[in-house]
Amino acid sequence: QKTAYEIPLRLVGSEMCIRDRPNVIIIYTDDQATLDVNILGAKDLVSPNMDKLMLSGTTFTQFYASPVCSPSRASLLTGKNPQRAGVPGNAGQDLSRTSGLPPSEYTMAEMFKDNGYATYLIGKWHLGDQPPHLPTAHGFDEYYGIPYSNDMASARRGDPPLPLIQDTKVIEAPANQATLTKRYTREAIQFIERNKSKPFFLYLPHTFPHLPLFASKEFHGKSANGRYGDSVEEIDWSTGKILDALKQHGLDKNTLVIFTSDNGSNGRNGGSNAPLSGSKGGTMEGGMRVPMIARWPGHIPAGSTCNELSTTMDFLPTFT
């Protein structure tokens, strides 16, 4: 049973017609270095769409997340410190069905759903891989993606093949990782098209640039920053396609788009948190300070910067 703090928050008595409520899209990368955007100083990769997003929204320069995957995602979805949300460390492959985000936690997806939004999670979940812990048990109408990190498929350790899941069923194993970003983008665009006449919440936690790194044939081997750059540049392409879809369907001005990462880079294979010290897994700046851009035309100042301290825990109360 949920506590009073976690009860559904509805817009009771609101004069805002439900179809006029803003859509919300969170694009959430995995282990993306703090400054890996051209406009922030990156010299070895191309990111025109992230740059465009920054120029049309606000960039948060002091934005923080937990330095590890699962706790960071739990904070984002619940608005809580990860320990309070019941996810102090990474969720593993768990046939006992006990590892993951507790069913008692009230998520932003549930809040949106309770207020008439369509909800979809596309990408990496990493808050439990068994049915009681999958996204469809936490407020998402639909789910398409892999349930944990893409390196959790070691035959040497005895891991099963990396699964691609649709709702609660495995549809591909092992998942073809080279096509994941492209397929995530297709699913996102189709979701936008299906829900263009009603409010929607799209959470897109990308698989990359977490190791091992993959990119489709259109991006593989093209970046000056090797495989890391290939994967980041494909995510940039994906971001552009999603922004194009919003504009095409007249949703551009009624959609809040957020772009951020779960934690800093691990500092390997092309990722770098310079000039910050530290990396993923640690509590120095390089592990916890992440890129964050918020764009909502007419509501958030374009081309602006916010230097105030903020965190992933701020999203849920802000959306509420």
Side-chain angles (χ1 to χ4, degrees), residues 25 120 122 181-196 200 202 204 237-249 251:
I25 297 177
Y120 196 5
I122 303 169
T181 300
K182 182 174 287 187
R183 286 192 279 179
Y184 292 170
T185 307
R186 178 199 66 202
E187 288 292 322
I189 292 171
Q190 290 177 353
F191 174 70
I192 291 169
E193 291 173 345
R194 290 197 305 271
N195 294 282
K196 58 187 177 183
F200 60 80
L202 171 62
L204 174 53
W237 164 86
S238 171
T239 301
K241 288 295 184 181
I242 291 168
L243 294 177
D244 289 345
L246 292 175
K247 189 172 184 179
Q248 177 185 347
H249 295 291
L251 303 172

Side-chain angles (χ1 to χ4, degrees), residues 118-185:
T119 59
Y120 196 5
L121 191 152
I122 303 169
K124 173 185 168 179
W125 171 238
H126 210 179
L127 288 170
D129 64 341
Q130 298 302 305
H133 295 290
L134 288 175
T136 49
H138 285 286
F140 289 97
D141 298 322
E142 304 174 76
Y143 171 50
Y144 181 93
I146 62 172
Y148 36 68
S149 295
N150 66 329
D151 63 344
M152 295 170 64
S154 170
R156 179 172 50 81
R157 283 196 309 252
D159 297 342
L162 187 71
L164 178 65
I165 295 177
Q166 187 156 29
D167 295 332
T168 60
K169 295 182 179 179
V170 176
I171 61 173
E172 183 178 301
N176 182 351
Q177 295 199 54
T179 64
L180 284 179
T181 300
K182 182 174 287 187
R183 286 192 279 179
Y184 292 170
T185 307

Side-chain angles (χ1 to χ4, degrees), residues 44-303:
D44 50 5
L45 56 80
V46 179
S47 60
N49 294 298
M50 292 185 219
D51 293 348
K52 179 181 177 182
L53 196 62
M54 290 181 66
L55 291 172
S56 59
T58 293
T59 300
F60 290 71
T61 63
Q62 305 291 328
F63 189 82
Y64 291 84
S66 174
V68 187
C69 297
S70 296
S72 182
R73 293 154 202 274
S75 280
L76 181 147
L77 289 171
T78 66
K80 290 183 176 181
N81 180 287
Q83 281 82 358
R84 287 179 57 83
V87 188
N90 275 341
Q93 298 156 327
D94 181 25
L95 297 179
S96 69
R97 303 189 173 202
T98 59
S99 177
L101 185 65
S104 59
E105 290 300 327
Y106 187 68
T107 69
M108 65 171 65
E110 291 174 293
M111 184 273 291
F112 279 119
K113 190 172 181 177
D114 285 341
N115 283 284
Y117 280 62
T119 59
Y120 196 5
L121 191 152
I122 303 169
K124 173 185 168 179
W125 171 238
H126 210 179
L127 288 170
D129 64 341
Q130 298 302 305
H133 295 290
L134 288 175
T136 49
H138 285 286
F140 289 97
D141 298 322
E142 304 174 76
Y143 171 50
Y144 181 93
I146 62 172
Y148 36 68
S149 295
N150 66 329
D151 63 344
M152 295 170 64
S154 170
R156 179 172 50 81
R157 283 196 309 252
D159 297 342
L162 187 71
L164 178 65
I165 295 177
Q166 187 156 29
D167 295 332
T168 60
K169 295 182 179 179
V170 176
I171 61 173
E172 183 178 301
N176 182 351
Q177 295 199 54
T179 64
L180 284 179
T181 300
K182 182 174 287 187
R183 286 192 279 179
Y184 292 170
T185 307
R186 178 199 66 202
E187 288 292 322
I189 292 171
Q190 290 177 353
F191 174 70
I192 291 169
E193 291 173 345
R194 290 197 305 271
N195 294 282
K196 58 187 177 183
S197 61
K198 63 181 293 189
F200 60 80
F201 169 51
L202 171 62
Y203 174 38
L204 174 53
H206 279 286
T207 296
F208 306 112
H210 192 281
L211 301 178
L213 294 160
F214 288 87
S216 66
K217 62 181 181 180
E218 289 85 359
F219 293 88
H220 182 74
K222 302 295 175 62
S223 174
N225 194 10
R227 289 181 298 163
Y228 182 88
D230 293 343
S231 65
V232 172
E233 289 181 15
E234 185 160 22
I235 289 171
D236 181 81
W237 164 86
S238 171
T239 301
K241 288 295 184 181
I242 291 168
L243 294 177
D244 289 345
L246 292 175
K247 189 172 184 179
Q248 177 185 347
H249 295 291
L251 303 172
D252 196 50
K253 294 183 178 180
N254 198 40
T255 303
L256 168 59
V257 178
I258 286 173
F259 185 100
T260 188
S261 179
D262 64 342
N263 44 247
S265 171
N266 58 27
R268 307 196 308 272
N269 290 74
S272 172
N273 299 308
L276 304 179
S277 298
S279 60
K280 172 186 178 178
T283 54
M284 298 181 77
E285 290 286 289
M288 299 188 70
R289 203 164 98 191
V290 295
M292 209 293 259
I293 308 164
R295 174 185 181 268
W296 186 9
H299 297 269
I300 295 177

